[in-house]
Amino acid sequence: MSSTTANVSVPADVLKKVTDMAYDARVASRILAKADTRWKNNALEAIAKDLEHKADIIVRSNAEDLERERAGGMSEAMLDRLMLNAHRVGELANSLRELAALPDPVGEVVRGATLDNGLHMTQVRVPMGVIGAIYEARPNVTVDIAGLAIKSGNTVMLRGGSAAAKTNETIVGIIRHALDKNSLPMDTVQSVDEFGRDGANALMVARGYIDVLIPRGGRQLIQSVVNNARVPVIETGEGNCHIFVDVTADVEGSAKILVNAKTQRPGTCNTVETLILAQGAEATPRVLQALNDAGVTLHVDAATRENLPGGVEAVDATDEDWATEYGSLDLAVKTVASLDEALNHIGKYSTGHSEAILTNNLAHAETFIRTVDSAAVYINASTRFTDGGQLGLGAEVGISTQKLHARGPMGLEQLTTTKWIMRGNWQARA
């Protein structure tokens, strides 16, 4: 017997084990809710130290995952996402310390008032409870989500995917041990990786056990969760990001930003995937040359091909290219006659993540801001800044591309909800 919803079927034994784990997470969340800021920060520091002290063990585990996935044909961009070295482990430890230094959102008073009848009302931030997270080939996310959950008073159940199985197993073990040393429940952080895809499906259907489920990965993973989950979902991560180079854009500044936005970490969701060039933009030849020199494969429309500098190679774009999140050193390029045409193209193909305009025309910049309906909008800057750490959140659980509850980088505050508290003096409603 199994539980089935939409296209998801979960063996009964797996569903029972996962819901039992979720029950344990619920019990742990009640204990964690009593932990003050200092207690939670001490746990984060303990985890950071243990990650540093055991970095060699983590890197060895990661090497096993890398070897297996490289042999299986994983792309270089995805291998880069998967890879942890000593430096990256150190960065993860530091991200936990940055979280510890941030204000604790739990208990923050959002509003308060004394009503005419003397009833004192406050609305305060409280943890969500039990958070589920499904992601792939990103062991750094294991640390980020665990740290955010601990600081915001939540417990978390992780499905980190088969590609990073060994790395995640090692990291989760380190985190749970550090929690135990600091007298916090080990079940604050749990993994369902042992159950494979059935574990992910069980999280999707565990209504009443999982308070919110957050998918983080490519389009296929995200849409599978959004379309099949019976628990509340926050849609994150899918990033078909655009940069529009206006007629007045600075030549060298545009080239610098485009190369950064496309090549720094091609596999990330805030990487630019479509470049839109204004017809007659002075920056066009320099931008295309710089991208070509950086090893980017340009997928161009007919109008762009007419303006390719000598020696710059390109392939012809298809309609599919405009809707593609490559996650690689490929870039769709379109030339448009006006700002309105650029905005219409973005409106049709954007996934609501991050879009940028490069311009020295203030009116065009303001029109772009008002018209583009995405979580993050940039003027003369790289889309790569859509990141919790870059924006002062310490870390992020993902980039929300939806509009309800949270939008954009999801840090500590976005992992809380609110509770209304009324303190009275024996009032009864008339």
Side-chain angles (χ1 to χ4, degrees):
M1 188 174 181
S2 63
S3 175
T4 303
T5 178
N7 297 318
V8 170
S9 179
V10 186
D13 61 329
V14 173
L15 184 62
K16 175 66 165 57
K17 290 174 182 176
V18 171
T19 53
D20 284 349
M21 292 170 66
Y23 177 82
D24 293 339
R26 178 77 63 197
V27 172
S29 72
R30 295 177 187 135
I31 299 171
L32 189 62
K34 301 174 185 177
D36 61 18
T37 302
R38 183 177 179 181
W39 195 355
K40 293 185 290 187
N41 286 346
N42 286 342
L44 292 174
E45 175 59 32
I47 296 169
K49 286 182 178 178
D50 281 1
L51 288 174
E52 290 171 333
H53 293 161
K54 298 176 181 177
D56 57 335
I57 299 173
I58 296 171
V59 172
R60 284 200 301 270
S61 296
N62 185 247
E64 293 183 29
D65 289 332
L66 286 169
E67 182 180 3
R68 181 187 63 251
E69 296 306 314
R70 184 176 286 110
M74 179 178 278
S75 70
E76 287 301 318
M78 288 299 291
L79 287 169
D80 181 63
R81 276 185 177 180
L82 176 60
M83 190 268 288
L84 288 181
N85 53 28
H87 175 71
R88 288 187 178 180
V89 174
E91 289 181 330
L92 291 176
N94 287 334
S95 73
L96 294 177
R97 295 189 175 101
E98 291 171 2
L99 274 178
L102 291 174
D104 188 342
V106 178
E108 175 191 346
V109 177
V110 177
R111 73 188 74 195
T114 300
L115 306 182
D116 292 342
N117 62 7
L119 195 65
H120 184 64
M121 173 271 292
T122 55
Q123 182 188 13
V124 300
R125 293 197 180 281
V126 296
M128 282 191 169
V130 181
I131 296 171
I134 301 176
Y135 51 103
E136 54 190 1
R138 304 179 188 192
N140 63 297
V141 174
T142 303
V143 177
D144 288 344
I145 294 180
L148 285 162
I150 293 164
K151 182 66 181 265
S152 59
N154 294 288
T155 57
V156 65
M157 298 186 65
L158 306 169
R159 163 57 178 162
S162 58
K166 187 65 176 179
T167 312
N168 286 332
E169 179 184 3
T170 301
I171 291 174
V172 169
I174 291 170
I175 292 172
R176 285 169 60 86
H177 179 67
L179 287 168
D180 190 47
K181 286 194 301 183
N182 281 268
S183 301
L184 285 174
M186 295 175 71
D187 288 337
T188 295
V189 178
Q190 298 183 81
S191 170
V192 299
D193 279 348
E194 64 180 288
F195 306 113
R197 185 168 296 178
D198 287 336
N201 291 342
L203 293 177
M204 292 186 209
V205 302
R207 191 168 184 86
Y209 293 89
I210 304 296
D211 292 300
V212 64
L213 183 58
I214 303 172
R216 183 170 174 177
R219 175 177 176 80
Q220 184 176 358
L221 182 150
I222 293 169
Q223 292 306 312
S224 174
V225 174
V226 169
N227 293 328
N228 293 308
R230 292 179 58 196
V231 303
V233 173
I234 296 178
E235 187 171 355
T236 72
E238 190 180 343
N240 187 16
C241 304
H242 300 74
I243 294 181
F244 172 56
V245 178
D246 198 13
V247 172
T248 62
D250 180 79
V251 174
E252 291 303 321
S254 297
K256 178 181 71 174
I257 285 172
L258 261 300
V259 170
N260 173 265
K262 182 70 252 185
T263 69
Q264 190 197 40
R265 291 285 299 276
T268 60
C269 60
N270 54 21
T271 292
V272 64
E273 302 291 12
T274 298
L275 164 61
I276 305 176
L277 298 165
Q279 189 173 15
E282 184 182 354
T284 292
R286 179 72 183 97
V287 166
L288 296 175
Q289 185 70 59
L291 289 165
N292 181 80
D293 292 347
V296 177
T297 299
L298 304 175
H299 300 242
V300 303
D301 67 350
T304 303
R305 184 171 287 283
E306 292 178 1
N307 295 304
L308 285 177
V312 173
E313 298 181 355
V315 298
D316 291 335
T318 67
D319 287 343
E320 184 179 350
D321 284 300
W322 311 128
T324 298
E325 181 183 8
Y326 295 106
S328 63
L329 286 176
D330 290 84
L331 181 67
V333 187
K334 182 179 181 66
T335 297
V336 297
S338 65
L339 172 60
D340 283 343
E341 187 179 348
L343 292 171
N344 288 336
H345 182 91
I346 293 171
K348 181 176 181 179
Y349 292 104
S350 171
T351 54
H353 195 293
S354 301
E355 326 294 349
I357 182 174
L358 309 184
T359 185
N360 282 312
N361 185 315
L362 181 59
H364 283 189
E366 290 302 316
T367 298
F368 193 87
I369 291 171
R370 291 194 303 270
T371 307
V372 169
D373 188 18
S374 291
V377 180
Y378 292 87
I379 311 300
N380 298 333
S382 171
T383 55
R384 287 283 291 122
F385 288 105
T386 309
D387 175 270
Q390 292 291 317
L391 298 179
L393 304 182
E396 68 185 33
V397 71
I399 309 293
S400 172
T401 54
Q402 64 181 41
K403 299 181 182 180
L404 295 179
H405 174 68
R407 197 179 193 193
M410 294 179 59
L412 293 169
E413 184 178 307
Q414 288 72 35
L415 293 184
T416 64
T417 183
T418 61
K419 179 187 294 185
W420 294 81
I421 301 172
M422 273 61 72
R423 293 179 172 87
N425 187 27
W426 310 107
Q427 289 95 331
R429 182 171 174 174

